[in-house]
Amino acid sequence: MVDISAPRAVVRAPNLRLWVPLCWLTLVGIAAVFAPWIAPHDPLAQDLMLGRLPPAWIAGSEPGYWLGTDDLGRDVLSRLIYGARIALIVAATAALLAGLVGSGLGLLAGFFGGWWDKCISRLVEIWMAFPPVLFAVLLVAVLGTGLGSVIAAIALIDWTRFVRVVRAETLVQARMDYIDSAVIGGASKLSVLRHEVLPNVLPAIIALLSLEMGIAVIVEAILSFVNLSLSSDAPTWGGMIAEGRASIYFAWWVLTFPLLTLFLTVLSFSQLGEGLKRHFDPVQT
Amino acid sequence: MLLRSIISRLIAVAITLFGVAVVVFTLIRVAPGNPIAMMLPPGATAADIARLEALYGFDKSLPEQFVIWLKAVAQGDFGTSIIMRQPVAELVLERLPATLELALMALLLAVALGGLGAVVGARFRGRSPELGVDLGVGVGLSVPDFLWGLLLILLFGVLWPVLQISGRVDPRLAVDLSTNFYIIEGLLRGQWRLVQDVLAHMLMPALALSLPLAAMIAQVLKQSLKAELHLDYTQLARVRGLSETRVIVSEALRNAALPTLTLIGVQFTFLIGGTVIVERLFAYEGLGNMAIEAVINRDLPLIQGIVLLFALLFIVINLAVDLTYGLLNPRLRHG
């Protein structure tokens, strides 16, 4: 006897790939928005008397410092919560900017073809010849440090990712019959692009935005790690990791907690992106 | 036909190289800070500045400056490092071997780990080992080298301190070699202690770099292996009495390898790009670490030289991959 109930159960199961990442990212989002109300301490307040306090469950800890303190006696949990603000602001704006520029160029290249495609593809090829991290570091050196430069640098590097995916998707859509029928119906090329092609490419762009936000969080952390993002005092996850790396033999928690937070956030963005891709296009898998 | 495709490919490479030069030149020129002022010691007179400006052609128009710069670069003159006061070309070539050895070691590890994952996954397809491989692949693909490096430092540097977490070689060890290829030359000369120490330093950064690529290799190779295992020739091998593992390793692997080889070629450049931050993380004395040092010190000529070298490396590797792929795949050769 063949059991036919099993596959149905798999289909009906809640999509963990979407929900688990969403829960974590919501948590990070809440921390970012309500940081002043949630954080138990001022993220910048130093108290050398309270330096290198271990987390609450280890002997020698102080009440109220749940995840311990760093070398300068700053509360690790509070810095993590405020760090979520910077991480999410950078992730959202950089991904959006890269998505706007990249998707626009990808649509043009895929839909109009010819010289549009040749020029844009060549530009992407030139851009791809630079190692991303080195390029980011170089751009920040040129643009100067600060939140705006970090966002600009990430967007300037990662727009190519959107071009490649959106161009390929647009090429597929442009060959479909409904495009021909819209053209025969008298619609202008630009209006076909906006009203017919774009809605069909949009799911791919949304999935890519999620992936890109994960990448932006990492690049911001890397730039903070090498002290090229915000001022070294600002509570960034990457900056915390750099401090933790320096005092790894004396206070493992200073590295471990920001690392864990970053790990979960990046994993969530990328799993969410993959989940969205499958959600929109179940045939592909 | 083959010749024509090679020529058109070379033209594309030339255009890309030119584009890279334009981008780097523009970035360096719009960077804040006068490069001439940075070359001179403090207290230099206006006449000194004017003399140097004329020497480097800064008094000319931007396109003319670009031509002067491009000519110098084409002849291997990348200028002088502001901080170290040495020719950039010399500094960069001195560090290149360390980065190349690290990248090659990472590639080796990625192929070994990814290949093992693929074979195990294909051998036990549909059972729990394959699920384990898939889970590992999922995590390996989503977590970048930077985070793997930090996790490894925590694991093997602190929790179970068995590996070195910074540097390339123990400074107490006298390095008596004529090149900076410590492993390759050390092996050739039989200096086992040196090689062992360098490997102990290199293992963690190389592993961090290799894990994302290993995940990709495991995914793609497992897929192609599983496809091969349905074909007639593997059935025949089973009928001949070969064990399933033998069928996979000595029959299917060779036929399934091409997509993975292409993947490795394309991804190798990303792995090299990853060395920048991983070297920094492990204080490994390679090009990437030097690049970040240069940015922090605002040593623009040095940054420029390193960026150009990395870009050139990327372009050459991609070209080599394209050409070998053309040779390996007869359909493309005649197409």
Side-chain angles (χ1 to χ4, degrees), chain A residues 257-271:
Chain A
F257 294 120
L259 177 58
L260 210 63
T261 314
L262 192 57
F263 190 87
L264 289 174
T265 308
V266 169
L267 201 62
S268 296
F269 273 126
S270 81
Q271 291 306 311

Side-chain angles (χ1 to χ4, degrees), chain A residues 103 107 178 192-203 205:
Chain A
S103 307
L107 279 169
Y178 71 86
V192 173
L193 189 61
R194 238 185 55 210
H195 299 293
E196 310 288 338
V197 179
L198 182 61
N200 283 299
V201 178
L202 207 54
I205 297 179

Side-chain angles (χ1 to χ4, degrees), chain A residues 24-25 27 30 49-50 76 79 123 152 154 158 162 175 194 225 229 258 269:
Chain A
W24 171 255
L25 292 175
L27 205 68
I30 290 173
M49 300 298 283
L50 295 172
V76 169
R79 286 178 76 72
L123 198 62
I154 296 173
D158 281 341
F162 286 87
R175 288 206 198 95
R194 238 185 55 210
F225 179 80
S229 158
F269 273 126

Side-chain angles (χ1 to χ4, degrees), chain B residues 16 40 46 59 69 104 112 123 147 194 199 202 228 283 325-326 335:
Chain B
T16 308
L40 287 166
D59 49 350
W69 176 80
L104 287 174
R123 170 70 185 82
L147 289 186
L194 175 75
L199 281 177
M202 192 188 272
E228 295 292 322
Y325 190 62

Side-chain angles (χ1 to χ4, degrees), chain A residues 129 137-138 141-142 245 248 270-271, chain B residues 32 142 158 165 281 295 298 311:
Chain A
V137 168
L138 175 67
V142 171
R245 166 76 172 85
I248 188 153
S270 81
Q271 291 306 311
Chain B
S142 341
V158 181
I165 65 167
L281 196 52
V295 170
R298 306 200 55 76

Side-chain angles (χ1 to χ4, degrees), chain A residues 122 125-126 128-131 134 137-138 141-142 218 222 225 228 241 245 248-249 256 259 262-263 266-267 270-271, chain B residues 15-16 19 24 27 30 32 142-144 147 150-151 153 157-158 165 273 277 281 291 295 298 303 307 310-311 314:
Chain A
R122 188 64 65 212
E125 202 163 303
I126 291 170
M128 301 284 291
F130 295 102
L134 188 58
V137 168
L138 175 67
V142 171
I218 278 289
I222 287 176
F225 179 80
L228 284 171
I241 286 175
R245 166 76 172 85
I248 188 153
Y249 290 117
T256 307
L259 177 58
L262 192 57
F263 190 87
V266 169
L267 201 62
S270 81
Q271 291 306 311
Chain B
I15 296 173
T16 308
V24 171
L27 282 177
V30 299
S142 341
V143 177
L147 289 186
L150 287 162
L151 282 174
I153 287 181
V158 181
I165 65 167
I277 190 63
L281 196 52
V295 170
R298 306 200 55 76
I303 304 167
V307 171
F310 265 109
F314 271 39

